[in-house]
């Protein structure tokens, strides 16, 4: 609020106008829609509707912290029909960026000793990435997947996420494991198709990028996995064919127990 906020808003819009008119940033996206079914807390993705060839398996985590109400203990796999039910279901994957070209722009501002515009550019690119992710999700819902073809929501309703379905991302509360991002990138060939790279810590570069999954289930919702116990960590490590110690490192913020000295090395 106030004059400084108004100045910041005006400066950002002037820079955004320059970015658009000079085409300084490029947006790229890749999406994939796959036949899918859940198997326990895993989600199998198939190469075609015959559902015989598994192209990849996504792994989800289930809430374990005791609840005081009667809510179920959610995992993302709950929003995909079980394989044993014989029900046809699907899932989507995506990776989008609005950061192609940002390095040259940041170099330009660095040579001009314009730190203000450099910081502003990064903030604008991040907002554009989120906006692009929203746009692609809407196109998926209404056209590419088309499970809500007649959706007609106002901007306020879109901001309030009144639409059907969710787009959770690895590293966020519903799936805190960043390593799942690699499965999505490999499946989509995201680096070749968008230019987004994954760092050793599974951060996306350019930073103004978003990736994740599309769920269409009308009761799908965002949730926080919260603290998990060692029994689930061991079972999760087995499903992912990774050492328990490595899984513990990636899931350290949500471990509901103390790791031993040996396990912490």
């Amino acid at each position: 609020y106030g004059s400084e906020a108004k100045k910041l808003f005006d400066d950002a819009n002037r820079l955004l106008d320059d970015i658009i008119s000079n085409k300084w940033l490029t947006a790229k996206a890749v999406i994939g829609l796959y036949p899918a079914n859940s198997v326990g807390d895993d989600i199998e993705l198939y190469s075609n509707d015959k559902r015989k060839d598994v192209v990849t398996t996504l792994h989800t985590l289930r809430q374990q912290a005791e609840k005081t109400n009667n809510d179920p203990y959610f995992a993302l796999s709950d929003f995909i029909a079980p394989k044993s039910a014989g029900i046809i279901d699907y899932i989507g994957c995506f990776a989008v960026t609005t950061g192609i070209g940002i390095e040259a722009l940041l170099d330009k501002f660095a040579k001009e000793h314009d730190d203000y515009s450099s910081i502003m550019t990064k903030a604008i690119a991040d907002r554009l990435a989120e906006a692009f992710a929203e746009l692609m999700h809407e196109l998926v819902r209404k056209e590419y997947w088309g499970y809500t073809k007649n959706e007609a929501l106002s901007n306020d309703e879109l901001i309030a996420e009144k639409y059907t379905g969710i787009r959770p991302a690895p590293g966020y509360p519903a799936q805190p494991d960043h390593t799942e991002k690699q499965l999505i990138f490999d499946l989509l060939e995201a680096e070749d198709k968008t230019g987004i790279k994954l760092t050793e810590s599974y951060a996306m570069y350019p930073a103004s990028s978003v990736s994740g999954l599309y769920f269409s289930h009308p009761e799908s919702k965002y949730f926080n996995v919260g603290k998990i116990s060692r029994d689930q960590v061991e079972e999760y490590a087995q499903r992912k064919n990774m050492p328990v110690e490595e899984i513990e490192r990636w899931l350290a913020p949500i471990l509901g127990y103390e790791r031993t000295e040996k396990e912490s090395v």
Side-chain angles (χ1 to χ4, degrees), residues 82-156:
K83 188 175 184 178
S84 59
I87 298 172
I88 294 174
D89 208 348
Y90 297 86
I91 196 170
C93 306
F94 71 93
V96 308
T97 185
T98 53
I100 305 301
I102 197 170
E103 287 299 330
L105 187 53
L106 295 179
D107 286 345
K108 171 184 179 298
F109 291 134
K111 290 175 183 175
E112 297 169 356
H113 305 288
D114 189 353
D115 293 341
Y116 181 69
S117 292
S118 180
I119 294 169
M120 190 82 74
T121 295
K122 293 175 185 177
I124 288 172
D126 287 348
R127 293 301 87 210
L128 289 173
E130 292 295 338
F132 192 26
E134 282 288 348
L135 172 63
M136 291 306 302
H137 194 189
E138 182 177 11
L139 290 172
V140 166
R141 296 192 305 271
K142 296 166 70 173
E143 296 179 28
Y144 298 129
W145 192 339
Y147 64 85
T148 56
K149 292 180 180 178
N150 298 320
E151 178 186 301
L153 301 175
S154 68
N155 195 52
D156 287 342

Side-chain angles (χ1 to χ4, degrees), residues 14-29:
R14 276 193 292 271
L15 180 54
L16 179 58
D17 288 341
D18 288 342
I19 288 172
I20 294 169
S21 62
N22 292 295
K23 298 183 178 179
W24 281 333
L25 296 178
T26 299
K28 289 188 177 182

Side-chain angles (χ1 to χ4, degrees), residues 130-191:
E130 292 295 338
F132 192 26
E134 282 288 348
L135 172 63
M136 291 306 302
H137 194 189
E138 182 177 11
L139 290 172
V140 166
R141 296 192 305 271
K142 296 166 70 173
E143 296 179 28
Y144 298 129
W145 192 339
Y147 64 85
T148 56
K149 292 180 180 178
N150 298 320
E151 178 186 301
L153 301 175
S154 68
N155 195 52
D156 287 342
E157 289 172 324
L158 289 172
I159 292 171
E161 298 176 349
K162 296 295 185 182
Y163 45 75
T164 300
I166 57 173
R167 54 175 182 89
Y172 281 79
Q175 175 44 291
D177 181 10
H178 283 279
T179 68
E180 287 291 295
K181 215 175 290 176
Q182 188 68 63
L183 297 174
I184 295 171
F185 269 63
D186 290 345
L187 186 64
L188 295 175
E189 300 177 358
E191 184 173 337

